[in-house]
Amino acid sequence: MFAASRPHAARLSTPDTEEPAEQLSQECPARPSPGARASPKKRPIDIPANFYYIFSAFKGAEEIAKGTKVTLAGKRLFLVDGSALVFRSYYAFIRNPLINSKGENTSAVFGVTRSLLKIVQEEQPDYLAVVFDRPEPTFRHQLYEQYKATRQEAPADLIEQLPRVREVVEALGIPIIEKPGFEADDIIGTLAKRAEQQGLETYVVSGDKDLLQLVSPAIKIYNPRRAGESVEVLDAAGVEEKLGVPPQRVVDYLALAGDTSDNVPGVPGIGPKGAAALLKEFGDLENLVRNVENIKRDALRRALVEHQQELEISKKLVTIDCNVDIELTFDQLARREPDAARLMRLFQELEFASLADQFAQRGQQAVSYRALVTREELEWLITQLRAAGKFALDLETTSLNPIDAEIVGLSFAWRAGEAYYVPVQAPALDFTPWAPAAEVLALLKPLLEDPGVKKCGQNVKFDMAVLKMAGVSLAGVEFDSMVASYLLNPSGRQHNLDSLALEHFGHKKIAISELIGSGKKQRSMAEVPLAQIAEYACEDADFAWRLQEKLAPQLREAALWELFETVEMPLVPVLMQMELDGVSLDVPFLEQMSRELSRQMDGLMAQIYQQAGEEFNINSTQQLGRILFEKLKLRKVRRTKTGYSTDVAVLEELAKEHPLPRTILEYRQLAKLKSTYVDALPKLVNPRTGRVHTSFNQAVTATGRLSSSDPNLQNIPIRTEVGSQIRKAFIPRDDDHVILDADYSQIELRIMAHLSGDPRLRQAFVDGEDVHRRTAALVFKLDPEEVTPEHRRRAKEVNFGIMYGMGAYGLSSRLDIPVEEAEAFIATYFATYPGVHQYIMKTLEQAHRQGYVTTLLNRRRYLPEINSDNRRMREFAERTAINMPIQGSAADLIKVAMINISRALRQSGLKTKMILQVHDELVFEVPKNEVEQVRELVRHEMEHAITMDVPIKVDIGVGRNWLEAH
């Protein structure tokens, strides 16, 4: 009655996956099938016939076909369910897909690659193959027309990745197995059972529960699971623990329970638990059917009798055929070495920088790298550099902190493949410098400080700062390859020299860890033998030189050279000086603030325990989740990998229902500010200078804005009482100085008025009106004096929301109003300011057409996702397109202002120092006798940095600390 038919055809399909996909932040939907039946309104996706490999590549192993035993005992075979792995990988990144600069979604390729490398590197299999489904229909479709009919078409951006996946698998040296008319499960089952006969131990790499029927003493399921979790390996006991039935009963279990993913009907009313219980009672499906009258529950008994035909069909559908006609030897599946060169090229094309580096080879190209160890050689080098008129420079130091760093040596290059290293420190037994570092630098100083001899390098700001601390003011710097790379690809993840050398020249540089090690055993660069450090340093200078030769023409071709030459490069020395100057901290104030925050947190903790009705670990998301969702029975808003989310958005939502989430939010905010700033800032005071020296990052944000690190001053929340109090700790160096704060007023709205040309919005700024009040009056049809604070707040949300591409849903959330009301609000806004609407439409049209948007100074932001078939990604790119010209122009504006202010302060002989830049705000440390002059100088330069059609306004304050000045 339940005899299985032999399958004879297959199509690309997806086994059901019980475990969440790797890195999955939500439940992975059933995998759609490119060959699945489309709904009447949708046309099936056509897959090119030449896309699939023909199985005949593996013809030959008669001993396997005949079942002849060979000695393979102790060897391990890994069979990877490739189709399942592709879909798991794709959906693992569904919330944050990996998109490269060409707009390609590479999530599936990356996930598959990482999983296969993990298996190869950690498991070291003796035999390995990847098995793919085919698109043709199978016997299962002929047996049951609705088989997998409920599956949706595979996303287009997944289908596009399949050829890349196969390329990577090939390059890894892993055989690909597939056969028309057969599903991957059948091929895997056949190979696994034959391997068992040959004494091989087989691991089936999949999360598909159908494959659990294959488990035996020699066959196990290997489920990679999610990132950060250990691999799940299931033997027979594991299968029984997971499903409630042993492997030999899995087919019966699946037949009874059915499978919504594959549209296997099963028996209505019998789910997984019911199927396991019945099989535990009756043993197997045949015995259950024979004794159906002994089932006590009437509904269950009737269902089994009435749906016997579906049960027969279901069993045939879920049974894996382990007798597929496959001709190959296991020797053909022996693990082979990957094609490293091909993999590196592929990973470079896909922009997998870390993987490309892993397979990159050290260059075989002949180079001339030399260490110069005498005065005569150094003098010869200086002559050559002057004659060249331009060279690349790189420093090796004892620290990455320029305040504390000592120079170990300097490297120079002015021709590709040729470089020279001048050591000033080295291990005593290896080499003794011919002169002290000060004497070597004294010889180099005239050259380094000569603006007529041009210099280039990588992250030149660091080298400038180290030299400045050593008494040398590096001049004539005209090219920084890090900054150039950033301008060309502002969304790129890596702009360091190693990545750029690999990306542009396919060259794998010497890793610094090879010289100094890592962790506790890490040594100083001063301890590295001369021969090693000379090669490393010369390579740095060489590739810095090669990069400027390659990237400079690209900047010109992209119309970015003027921005690079007149803004980004002149900004480098300005930022360098700001970092070296640093800022003073009121450490006793922060210590007192820390004690006060601890007291407030203790009070909130007691309040939390009272509201929860018990004590628990407030910092444990699992324990908090138990309190919120199990004890208090609050609404479960969003699921995560490990349970239900308790992030800020969720707690904000739950705070409408119960006071505990709001108290938790208050506690978290205080704890974060205390640990991130109040307690951390005093530890960052440099003992040598007594000041804090943040790093200003020029090549990080995609908008062009600067960021800062160690400490990150951009994220101090000014709108909260505690956050604003932290600013009080930033003070002048002594009582003879004050803090001056200059902040652009509503600069992004002013830029919007300029870019859009809307007459009403422009006029509001020309008249010096409160633009939010004016917007409220126009939108609500009120006289200005009738506008309430609530009217103004709503108008402000719309003013800024429109600039950030916010739609009705976003605005309804921000204002806590119905979506319909938000839609009406936006419509009224656009009717009030039609020029803004026209600007947005024009910007989106340009973005879709050319793939990027630009700022006032032609800074580009590429938007590869702007024409994506993925609606969520496309809409995100459209919001970015609307905002980038505004936010990026604000970044351009303040950068120009910083350059001009720095120049004006220097030319005026003033002692004022520009010490901080945060968003649209500049902070200065000013001698009291210079306050009025500096106030006017700063205001003039900030308000005239870029000419616009609306007036630019700057608010300036002076005080004893940053908060008071603001």
Side-chain angles (χ1 to χ4, degrees):
M1 169 167 86
F2 291 102
S5 299
R6 182 175 178 182
H8 57 272
R11 71 171 86 182
L12 182 61
S13 60
T14 308
D16 181 45
T17 302
E18 287 200 331
E19 290 295 329
E22 187 176 351
Q23 287 193 346
L24 201 60
S25 56
Q26 62 180 17
E27 290 296 324
C28 180
R31 189 179 75 186
S33 170
R37 299 160 63 94
S39 64
K41 295 181 180 179
K42 292 184 177 180
R43 183 175 59 83
I45 294 177
D46 294 326
I47 300 179
N50 63 357
F51 176 78
Y52 294 93
Y53 291 161
I54 300 301
F55 188 80
S56 59
F58 292 100
K59 287 183 178 177
E62 293 184 4
E63 71 276 15
I64 299 269
K66 295 176 181 178
T68 307
K69 287 201 172 185
V70 293
T71 307
L72 298 174
K75 303 286 187 179
R76 297 196 306 162
L77 165 67
F78 278 69
L79 295 172
V80 180
D81 184 351
S83 301
L85 186 56
V86 166
F87 280 80
R88 281 171 65 96
S89 300
Y90 175 82
Y91 284 107
F93 295 93
I94 195 66
R95 287 188 181 274
N96 295 293
L98 303 180
I99 308 293
N100 64 20
S101 63
K102 296 182 284 292
E104 297 174 313
N105 186 331
T106 58
S107 303
V109 189
F110 182 78
V112 169
T113 304
R114 186 176 55 185
S115 295
L116 293 176
L117 286 174
K118 184 179 177 70
I119 291 169
V120 170
Q121 293 165 358
E122 295 185 3
E123 302 298 338
Q124 297 288 310
D126 300 289
Y127 303 95
L128 174 64
V130 175
V131 185
F132 284 110
D133 290 320
R134 290 279 303 184
E136 297 88 353
T138 70
F139 85 98
R140 295 179 175 91
H141 296 90
Q142 297 171 3
L143 176 65
Y144 183 60
E145 187 177 355
Q146 296 303 309
Y147 180 63
K148 297 187 178 181
T150 55
R151 292 193 175 182
Q152 298 177 348
E153 296 178 359
D157 58 350
L158 188 157
I159 294 294
E160 291 166 0
Q161 296 181 67
L162 296 178
R164 286 294 203 183
V165 168
R166 300 172 76 89
E167 281 187 82
V168 170
V169 175
E170 279 186 326
L172 284 169
I174 302 174
I176 293 174
I177 305 177
E178 57 191 7
K179 188 171 184 179
F182 293 92
E183 294 190 32
D185 288 5
D186 301 318
I187 296 171
I188 289 171
T190 298
L191 292 175
K193 292 300 181 182
R194 290 184 182 180
E196 185 175 33
Q197 295 174 7
Q198 308 305 314
L200 271 169
E201 183 179 17
T202 300
Y203 290 84
V204 176
V205 181
S206 180
D208 176 11
K209 64 176 179 287
D210 289 2
L211 291 163
L212 296 177
Q213 64 188 271
L214 300 176
V215 172
S216 71
I219 302 172
K220 296 179 178 66
I221 298 296
Y222 182 100
N223 187 357
R225 308 230 297 197
R226 298 176 303 204
E229 292 187 355
S230 58
V231 170
E232 179 185 50
V233 179
L234 292 176
D235 56 10
V239 172
E240 188 156 7
E241 180 182 354
K242 192 178 189 70
L243 298 185
V245 297
Q248 61 270 27
R249 296 279 77 85
V250 168
V251 170
D252 295 346
Y253 167 90
L254 295 172
L256 283 166
D259 187 341
T260 55
S261 172
D262 288 346
N263 202 32
V264 174
V267 178
I270 300 179
K273 290 184 179 178
L278 287 170
L279 292 172
K280 186 174 183 180
E281 181 179 354
F282 291 94
D284 60 32
L285 193 55
E286 283 76 8
N287 192 46
L288 170 62
V289 172
R290 283 195 301 268
N291 295 280
V292 68
E293 69 278 0
N294 294 329
I295 296 176
K296 297 177 182 178
R297 288 178 55 194
D298 292 341
L300 205 57
R301 186 172 59 254
R302 282 197 304 272
L304 281 164
V305 171
E306 293 172 2
H307 296 279
Q308 184 172 329
Q309 183 178 3
E310 289 95 326
L311 189 57
E312 285 190 48
I313 291 172
S314 295
K315 182 161 184 175
K316 292 176 181 178
L317 291 175
V318 299
T319 299
I320 294 175
D321 179 17
C322 296
N323 295 293
V324 179
D325 184 16
I326 301 174
E327 295 180 349
L328 75 152
T329 66
F330 283 116
D331 283 345
Q332 289 174 292
L333 306 186
R335 183 162 57 90
R336 303 194 294 268
E337 287 298 313
D339 185 337
R342 184 181 176 189
L343 282 172
M344 191 201 73
R345 289 193 300 272
L346 272 171
F347 293 153
Q348 280 187 283
E349 291 174 17
L350 292 163
E351 298 177 15
F352 298 160
S354 60
L355 293 177
D357 182 69
Q358 185 177 335
F359 287 92
Q361 304 291 315
R362 289 285 295 137
Q364 303 300 315
Q365 181 181 354
V367 293
S368 175
Y369 294 165
R370 285 181 52 197
L372 306 182
V373 296
T374 67
R375 182 187 184 98
E376 291 72 25
E377 288 177 325
L378 177 57
E379 290 174 341
W380 170 85
L381 175 66
I382 292 171
T383 302
Q384 297 298 311
L385 294 173
R386 282 200 175 278
K390 181 178 179 179
F391 59 85
L393 165 71
D394 187 75
L395 267 60
E396 303 306 328
T397 64
T398 57
S399 171
L400 295 177
N401 182 345
I403 303 292
D404 304 320
E406 296 178 12
I407 299 174
V408 176
L410 305 91
S411 54
F412 302 87
W414 66 95
R415 284 191 289 263
E418 180 180 344
Y420 300 88
Y421 177 67
V422 179
V424 297
Q425 289 189 55
L429 296 177
D430 180 63
F431 164 73
T432 301
W434 59 269
E439 188 174 335
V440 175
L441 287 176
L443 286 172
L444 286 167
K445 184 173 181 176
L447 173 70
L448 298 177
E449 293 187 341
D450 186 348
V453 180
K454 302 304 178 183
K455 290 90 176 175
C456 60
Q458 166 77 15
N459 189 18
V460 181
K461 175 159 65 73
F462 174 81
D463 298 318
M464 293 177 96
V466 173
L467 287 168
K468 188 70 176 286
M469 294 298 295
V472 177
S473 297
L474 186 64
V477 176
E478 69 170 16
F479 198 93
D480 187 321
S481 48
M482 180 185 75
V483 176
S485 172
Y486 164 70
L487 272 188
L488 288 164
N489 183 18
S491 299
R493 298 182 183 92
Q494 299 284 344
H495 301 287
N496 60 69
L497 190 58
D498 288 10
S499 297
L500 296 180
L502 190 62
E503 176 185 351
H504 294 282
F505 303 102
H507 178 83
K508 184 175 183 178
K509 289 180 66 274
I510 302 168
I512 192 169
S513 58
E514 294 178 33
L515 273 67
I516 63 175
S518 59
K520 294 181 179 179
K521 295 183 179 180
Q522 183 172 311
R523 60 181 174 176
S524 166
M525 288 292 277
E527 301 174 83
V528 178
L530 178 62
Q532 287 182 263
I533 196 172
E535 182 183 10
Y536 174 84
C538 286
E539 187 179 55
D540 279 359
D542 180 16
F543 279 90
W545 176 262
R546 298 192 203 197
L547 282 166
Q548 67 88 26
E549 288 188 315
K550 185 164 190 177
L551 298 184
Q554 292 182 18
L555 288 170
R556 289 187 169 91
E557 184 179 349
L560 289 167
W561 181 258
E562 184 177 359
L563 176 65
F564 176 79
E565 185 180 40
T566 62
V567 178
E568 294 295 343
M569 285 310 300
L571 185 65
V572 172
V574 175
L575 296 178
M576 179 273 298
Q577 192 60 55
M578 291 172 66
E579 291 179 1
L580 291 183
D581 288 336
V583 60
S584 293
L585 276 185
D586 188 342
V587 174
F589 170 79
L590 289 173
E591 291 172 346
Q592 178 185 347
M593 189 176 182
S594 179
R595 291 190 292 269
E596 173 60 23
L597 289 179
S598 293
R599 187 189 64 77
Q600 292 181 35
M601 289 169 62
D602 288 343
L604 287 172
M605 190 181 300
Q607 192 175 340
I608 288 167
Y609 293 156
Q610 181 183 20
Q611 292 169 346
E614 64 177 88
E615 292 189 7
F616 64 100
N617 182 354
I618 299 172
N619 297 316
S620 167
T621 55
Q622 286 79 13
Q623 292 188 37
L624 176 59
R626 179 182 62 80
I627 295 291
L628 294 174
F629 307 121
E630 295 178 18
K631 183 175 182 178
L632 299 179
K633 306 295 184 183
L634 296 182
R635 184 163 42 94
K636 297 169 180 175
V637 179
R638 186 170 65 252
R639 190 176 181 86
T640 67
K641 305 171 189 175
T642 55
Y644 288 96
S645 173
T646 60
D647 65 13
V648 173
V650 169
L651 292 180
E652 289 280 5
E653 188 69 21
L654 295 178
K656 301 173 184 177
E657 305 173 15
H658 195 279
L660 177 59
R662 175 62 59 195
T663 315
I664 292 287
L665 285 170
E666 292 175 16
Y667 177 87
R668 283 184 180 177
Q669 183 187 61
L670 293 187
K672 182 176 182 180
L673 290 175
K674 183 176 183 295
S675 63
T676 306
Y677 295 107
V678 179
D679 292 340
L681 284 172
K683 298 174 184 176
L684 295 174
V685 174
N686 188 290
R688 182 173 172 181
T689 66
R691 289 162 76 89
V692 170
H693 303 267
T694 188
S695 295
F696 292 101
N697 307 310
Q698 199 174 353
V700 173
T701 70
T703 62
R705 285 194 178 274
L706 296 171
S707 68
S708 66
S709 54
D710 301 322
N712 177 2
L713 302 178
Q714 309 282 346
N715 290 342
I716 299 176
I718 186 61
R719 290 183 177 85
T720 66
E721 176 62 26
V722 176
S724 63
Q725 285 299 307
I726 293 173
R727 289 191 168 205
K728 198 172 181 179
F730 291 79
I731 59 176
R733 64 178 61 245
D734 54 38
D735 292 339
D736 294 327
H737 290 74
V738 293
I739 297 295
L740 185 146
D741 180 278
D743 191 2
Y744 278 116
S745 172
Q746 299 178 337
I747 190 59
E748 292 187 357
L749 278 173
R750 294 172 189 271
I751 292 171
M752 168 67 90
H754 171 80
L755 291 174
S756 68
D758 185 90
R760 274 184 168 174
L761 192 56
R762 284 188 178 185
Q763 196 61 44
F765 288 116
V766 170
D767 295 342
E769 294 186 38
D770 178 342
V771 72
H772 300 313
R773 179 173 293 275
R774 175 161 183 156
T775 296
L778 291 168
V779 170
F780 292 111
K781 297 179 172 56
L782 299 170
D783 291 330
E785 58 272 12
E786 295 178 310
V787 173
T788 66
E790 178 61 17
H791 288 137
R792 186 183 184 279
R793 183 184 74 83
R794 290 190 171 200
K796 182 177 180 180
E797 290 289 352
V798 178
N799 273 329
F800 284 109
I802 294 296
M803 285 193 305
Y804 286 87
M806 184 185 296
Y809 285 97
L811 186 62
S812 72
S813 177
R814 292 282 287 272
L815 294 178
D816 195 20
I817 59 176
V819 174
E820 295 76 13
E821 186 178 338
E823 288 175 342
F825 211 123
I826 292 175
T828 304
Y829 181 92
F830 283 143
T832 303
Y833 298 122
V836 172
H837 187 252
Q838 292 167 12
Y839 161 75
I840 289 174
M841 292 299 100
K842 179 181 177 182
T843 300
L844 289 176
E845 185 275 325
Q846 290 176 340
H848 280 284
R849 177 167 41 82
Q850 59 192 21
Y852 64 86
V853 290
T854 59
T855 68
L856 286 171
L857 297 189
N858 211 37
R859 183 184 304 277
R860 287 189 183 185
R861 172 78 180 271
Y862 292 93
L863 302 165
E865 309 95 328
I866 194 74
N867 293 310
S868 171
D869 292 330
N870 184 310
R871 182 176 62 84
R872 187 180 64 83
M873 291 167 53
R874 183 177 65 254
E875 289 178 351
F876 175 80
E878 288 173 344
R879 290 193 297 272
T880 302
I882 296 168
N883 175 247
M884 169 59 191
I886 300 167
Q887 192 174 139
S889 293
D892 293 343
L893 175 70
I894 202 164
K895 285 181 175 180
V896 173
M898 293 170 71
I899 295 165
N900 293 345
I901 290 170
S902 177
R903 182 188 302 116
L905 288 173
R906 186 171 61 253
Q907 291 174 349
S908 301
L910 297 169
K911 296 181 180 179
T912 291
K913 296 182 182 300
M914 183 162 48
I915 54 175
L916 292 176
Q917 187 276 333
V918 178
H919 303 305
D920 301 319
E921 186 176 356
L922 294 176
V923 182
F924 302 84
E925 186 177 67
V926 186
K928 289 181 178 178
N929 63 351
E930 295 182 0
V931 168
E932 292 309 315
Q933 185 178 357
V934 170
R935 187 197 300 267
E936 292 310 309
L937 182 152
V938 168
R939 186 188 305 279
H940 179 271
E941 296 298 347
M942 290 182 72
E943 291 182 350
H944 295 86
I946 295 177
T947 302
M948 295 200 303
D949 295 335
V950 296
I952 298 174
K953 182 182 177 184
V954 177
D955 297 322
I956 296 180
V958 176
R960 293 165 297 179
N961 56 63
W962 187 9
L963 177 62
E964 190 176 293
H966 186 74

mmCIF file of all heavy atoms in Angstrom, residues 598-613:
data_model
loop_
_atom_site.group_PDB
_atom_site.id
_atom_site.type_symbol
_atom_site.label_atom_id
_atom_site.label_comp_id
_atom_site.label_asym_id
_atom_site.label_seq_id
_atom_site.Cartn_x
_atom_site.Cartn_y
_atom_site.Cartn_z
ATOM 1 N N SER A 598 25.265 56.973 39.748
ATOM 2 C CA SER A 598 25.139 55.696 40.463
ATOM 3 C C SER A 598 23.962 55.754 41.429
ATOM 4 O O SER A 598 23.191 54.797 41.559
ATOM 5 C CB SER A 598 26.429 55.377 41.218
ATOM 6 O OG SER A 598 27.485 55.130 40.318
ATOM 7 N N ARG A 599 23.824 56.891 42.117
ATOM 8 C CA ARG A 599 22.713 57.054 43.059
ATOM 9 C C ARG A 599 21.371 57.007 42.314
ATOM 10 O O ARG A 599 20.429 56.340 42.751
ATOM 11 C CB ARG A 599 22.863 58.372 43.816
ATOM 12 C CG ARG A 599 21.850 58.568 44.952
ATOM 13 C CD ARG A 599 21.917 59.967 45.517
ATOM 14 N NE ARG A 599 21.537 60.968 44.522
ATOM 15 C CZ ARG A 599 20.270 61.212 44.170
ATOM 16 N NH1 ARG A 599 19.281 60.531 44.708
ATOM 17 N NH2 ARG A 599 20.004 62.143 43.269
ATOM 18 N N GLN A 600 21.288 57.708 41.183
ATOM 19 C CA GLN A 600 20.048 57.702 40.407
ATOM 20 C C GLN A 600 19.734 56.309 39.864
ATOM 21 O O GLN A 600 18.570 55.886 39.858
ATOM 22 C CB GLN A 600 20.161 58.695 39.247
ATOM 23 C CG GLN A 600 20.209 60.155 39.659
ATOM 24 C CD GLN A 600 20.286 61.076 38.449
ATOM 25 O OE1 GLN A 600 19.708 60.799 37.401
ATOM 26 N NE2 GLN A 600 21.013 62.187 38.592
ATOM 27 N N MET A 601 20.765 55.597 39.442
ATOM 28 C CA MET A 601 20.555 54.241 38.908
ATOM 29 C C MET A 601 20.082 53.288 40.000
ATOM 30 O O MET A 601 19.243 52.416 39.749
ATOM 31 C CB MET A 601 21.843 53.733 38.254
ATOM 32 C CG MET A 601 22.180 54.439 36.944
ATOM 33 S SD MET A 601 23.858 54.074 36.341
ATOM 34 C CE MET A 601 23.738 52.313 36.078
ATOM 35 N N ASP A 602 20.609 53.469 41.207
ATOM 36 C CA ASP A 602 20.148 52.633 42.323
ATOM 37 C C ASP A 602 18.665 52.880 42.577
ATOM 38 O O ASP A 602 17.901 51.936 42.835
ATOM 39 C CB ASP A 602 20.955 52.947 43.588
ATOM 40 C CG ASP A 602 22.381 52.420 43.512
ATOM 41 O OD1 ASP A 602 22.634 51.558 42.650
ATOM 42 O OD2 ASP A 602 23.235 52.880 44.299
ATOM 43 N N GLY A 603 18.250 54.151 42.500
ATOM 44 C CA GLY A 603 16.838 54.475 42.685
ATOM 45 C C GLY A 603 15.970 53.863 41.604
ATOM 46 O O GLY A 603 14.887 53.322 41.880
ATOM 47 N N LEU A 604 16.436 53.955 40.344
ATOM 48 C CA LEU A 604 15.687 53.360 39.243
ATOM 49 C C LEU A 604 15.637 51.843 39.356
ATOM 50 O O LEU A 604 14.628 51.211 39.019
ATOM 51 C CB LEU A 604 16.320 53.761 37.903
ATOM 52 C CG LEU A 604 16.108 55.214 37.470
ATOM 53 C CD1 LEU A 604 16.952 55.518 36.235
ATOM 54 C CD2 LEU A 604 14.633 55.489 37.175
ATOM 55 N N MET A 605 16.732 51.254 39.836
ATOM 56 C CA MET A 605 16.770 49.807 39.997
ATOM 57 C C MET A 605 15.702 49.351 40.999
ATOM 58 O O MET A 605 14.974 48.377 40.765
ATOM 59 C CB MET A 605 18.165 49.362 40.462
ATOM 60 C CG MET A 605 18.375 47.858 40.438
ATOM 61 S SD MET A 605 20.028 47.388 41.014
ATOM 62 C CE MET A 605 21.054 48.229 39.823
ATOM 63 N N ALA A 606 15.606 50.072 42.122
ATOM 64 C CA ALA A 606 14.593 49.733 43.129
ATOM 65 C C ALA A 606 13.189 49.883 42.534
ATOM 66 O O ALA A 606 12.296 49.064 42.786
ATOM 67 C CB ALA A 606 14.756 50.634 44.352
ATOM 68 N N GLN A 607 13.009 50.920 41.723
ATOM 69 C CA GLN A 607 11.714 51.149 41.080
ATOM 70 C C GLN A 607 11.392 50.028 40.095
ATOM 71 O O GLN A 607 10.246 49.565 40.009
ATOM 72 C CB GLN A 607 11.751 52.500 40.357
ATOM 73 C CG GLN A 607 10.399 53.001 39.885
ATOM 74 C CD GLN A 607 10.509 54.405 39.289
ATOM 75 O OE1 GLN A 607 11.467 55.128 39.550
ATOM 76 N NE2 GLN A 607 9.524 54.777 38.489
ATOM 77 N N ILE A 608 12.410 49.578 39.367
ATOM 78 C CA ILE A 608 12.234 48.482 38.405
ATOM 79 C C ILE A 608 11.823 47.193 39.122
ATOM 80 O O ILE A 608 10.890 46.496 38.702
ATOM 81 C CB ILE A 608 13.529 48.260 37.593
ATOM 82 C CG1 ILE A 608 13.721 49.409 36.595
ATOM 83 C CG2 ILE A 608 13.499 46.928 36.854
ATOM 84 C CD1 ILE A 608 15.096 49.453 35.961
ATOM 85 N N TYR A 609 12.508 46.882 40.217
ATOM 86 C CA TYR A 609 12.172 45.674 40.965
ATOM 87 C C TYR A 609 10.748 45.734 41.497
ATOM 88 O O TYR A 609 10.017 44.728 41.507
ATOM 89 C CB TYR A 609 13.158 45.468 42.119
ATOM 90 C CG TYR A 609 14.571 45.158 41.674
ATOM 91 C CD1 TYR A 609 15.656 45.431 42.504
ATOM 92 C CD2 TYR A 609 14.822 44.589 40.428
ATOM 93 C CE1 TYR A 609 16.956 45.146 42.106
ATOM 94 C CE2 TYR A 609 16.117 44.307 40.022
ATOM 95 C CZ TYR A 609 17.176 44.593 40.856
ATOM 96 O OH TYR A 609 18.464 44.314 40.459
ATOM 97 N N GLN A 610 10.352 46.918 41.923
ATOM 98 C CA GLN A 610 9.001 47.079 42.449
ATOM 99 C C GLN A 610 7.964 46.882 41.335
ATOM 100 O O GLN A 610 6.958 46.195 41.519
ATOM 101 C CB GLN A 610 8.845 48.465 43.071
ATOM 102 C CG GLN A 610 7.452 48.708 43.677
ATOM 103 C CD GLN A 610 7.314 50.119 44.218
ATOM 104 O OE1 GLN A 610 8.073 51.016 43.837
ATOM 105 N NE2 GLN A 610 6.361 50.322 45.104
ATOM 106 N N GLN A 611 8.222 47.477 40.171
ATOM 107 C CA GLN A 611 7.279 47.346 39.057
ATOM 108 C C GLN A 611 7.247 45.928 38.512
ATOM 109 O O GLN A 611 6.210 45.473 38.013
ATOM 110 C CB GLN A 611 7.657 48.339 37.952
ATOM 111 C CG GLN A 611 7.441 49.795 38.350
ATOM 112 C CD GLN A 611 8.064 50.773 37.357
ATOM 113 O OE1 GLN A 611 8.873 50.380 36.510
ATOM 114 N NE2 GLN A 611 7.708 52.052 37.471
ATOM 115 N N ALA A 612 8.386 45.223 38.593
ATOM 116 C CA ALA A 612 8.446 43.851 38.091
ATOM 117 C C ALA A 612 7.918 42.851 39.106
ATOM 118 O O ALA A 612 7.566 41.720 38.743
ATOM 119 C CB ALA A 612 9.890 43.494 37.721
ATOM 120 N N GLY A 613 7.909 43.244 40.374
ATOM 121 C CA GLY A 613 7.453 42.327 41.420
ATOM 122 C C GLY A 613 8.507 41.346 41.874
ATOM 123 O O GLY A 613 8.230 40.429 42.643
#
